[in-house]
Amino acid sequence: MGIASDILADRDAAWAALQWLQELGAVDPVGDAPLDRYDLAEPVREAAPEPRRPAAATEPAAMPAPRLDPVVVARDAALRAATLEALSEAMAAYPHCDLRKGARNTVFADGNPKARVMIIGEAPGRDEDMQGLPFVGRAGQLLDRMFSAIGMGRDSPDTESALYITNVLPWRPPSNRDPAPEEMAMMVPFLIRHVELADPEVIVVMGNTPAMAVLRQRGITRLRGNWTQAWGKPVLPMLHPAYLLRNPYAKRDAWADLLVLQARLRG
Ligand code: URA
């Protein structure tokens, strides 16, 4: 046979082989590895091509939201409040302090906002959380008795003898634990604005937490009874009434401190 008839015979053989492979199920003419398609439950499909993404120019990458500093947010909100009522609303709406989530009420203040004396306590307890007012539990009742002994009270209509009462934190910490430093840092801008708006003649800080918040000092048993200065006001640190309930012998010191306050107010 000549070369031409060899080529024709090869072509016929190749054609016949291809038809035979097709009958066996061969659909892909090229493959790197042998594949038994009778063994496949599902026919093999080509992977769908990835959808084309729009060009970066038409879809700008999302910028991560800037992280807000809760203390800066608190300062801004407090400074925007022009009245005590607006401040109370701003505090109740402040979202960054988690204590708010567990509290029944935002405890803002009680008494006469025009009083000469502003008392700053620590934080609401159970009774304060339920009633929405500061110092209404056992410690609060003792506080009322202490101040009535020098002729002063939160219900007095007379600004000379009235008291205005608030706390560093407006929400009850769980199980009455000590306030965390970051919780205090968030709420101090509101307290500073509270003092600015109420503008008392003197401040009394009751216990270590408000001493820390207002004076940046601890050690109430050392500080108590000595006038100092903060936020442009004279400040008198005193023992917290809850401490006096646990340590009745210290009531003598508290009485001495009340007389120090009275002397200043009369002075
Ligand atoms: N103790 C505080 O410091 N504040 C309150 O309101 C009640 C208890």
Side-chain angles (χ1 to χ4, degrees):
M1 275 206 281
I3 292 175
S5 58
D6 282 353
I7 290 171
L8 279 177
D10 284 351
R11 199 193 62 179
D12 288 345
W15 183 242
L18 190 57
Q19 280 184 318
W20 181 71
L21 284 169
Q22 258 184 332
E23 275 166 29
L24 288 178
V27 287
D28 294 322
V30 183
D32 287 334
L35 186 59
D36 183 355
R37 287 172 190 274
Y38 292 109
D39 254 355
L40 298 174
E42 291 286 329
V44 173
R45 298 193 196 289
E46 291 279 289
E50 284 275 298
R52 279 171 64 84
R53 294 186 177 283
T58 57
E59 187 190 288
M63 295 288 285
R67 243 182 76 72
L68 296 174
D69 178 341
V71 178
V72 174
V73 175
R75 205 175 296 147
D76 288 350
L79 286 176
R80 272 198 302 276
T83 62
L84 289 171
E85 198 188 359
L87 185 68
S88 163
E89 282 165 14
M91 283 171 78
Y94 178 71
H96 297 287
C97 183
D98 283 347
L99 293 177
R100 179 176 183 255
K101 294 181 192 153
R104 280 193 184 82
N105 279 299
T106 299
V107 177
F108 182 66
D110 195 19
N112 186 337
K114 294 193 164 56
R116 295 174 75 192
V117 178
M118 180 168 182
I119 296 176
I120 303 177
E122 179 177 316
R126 184 177 163 276
D127 297 301
E128 290 78 17
D129 181 42
M130 296 216 313
Q131 296 186 41
L133 291 169
F135 280 105
V136 289
R138 271 188 76 217
Q141 287 156 21
L142 176 56
L143 180 140
D144 285 338
R145 286 200 301 278
M146 285 163 62
F147 280 86
S148 84
I150 56 164
M152 303 190 80
R154 67 177 92 190
D155 295 328
S156 174
D158 175 9
T159 55
E160 286 293 304
S161 53
L163 296 173
Y164 186 55
I165 306 175
T166 190
N167 283 310
V168 176
L169 298 182
W171 298 295
R172 182 192 183 193
S175 315
N176 296 343
R177 66 156 167 76
D178 285 344
E182 59 275 16
E183 291 161 353
M184 286 171 62
M186 282 181 217
M187 301 318 292
V188 159
F190 291 106
L191 185 61
I192 293 174
R193 188 70 181 139
H194 204 160
V195 169
E196 271 173 10
L197 291 170
D199 195 21
E201 205 173 303
V202 301
I203 297 172
V204 173
V205 291
M206 287 283 186
N208 267 321
T209 296
M212 193 64 201
V214 178
L215 307 173
R216 301 188 151 275
Q217 288 188 66
R218 283 206 160 274
I220 194 67
T221 48
R222 177 178 46 86
L223 297 169
R224 57 147 281 270
N226 296 304
W227 285 102
T228 181
Q229 193 83 11
W231 304 346
K233 304 281 178 196
V235 179
L236 181 65
M238 284 185 63
L239 298 170
H240 194 285
Y243 176 86
L244 299 175
L245 287 172
R246 293 192 304 272
N247 304 280
Y249 64 86
K251 286 183 183 168
R252 204 175 35 178
D253 294 334
W255 176 240
D257 299 346
L258 286 169
L259 295 181
V260 167
L261 174 65
Q262 188 181 48
R264 172 115 194 187
L265 295 173
R266 283 184 176 164

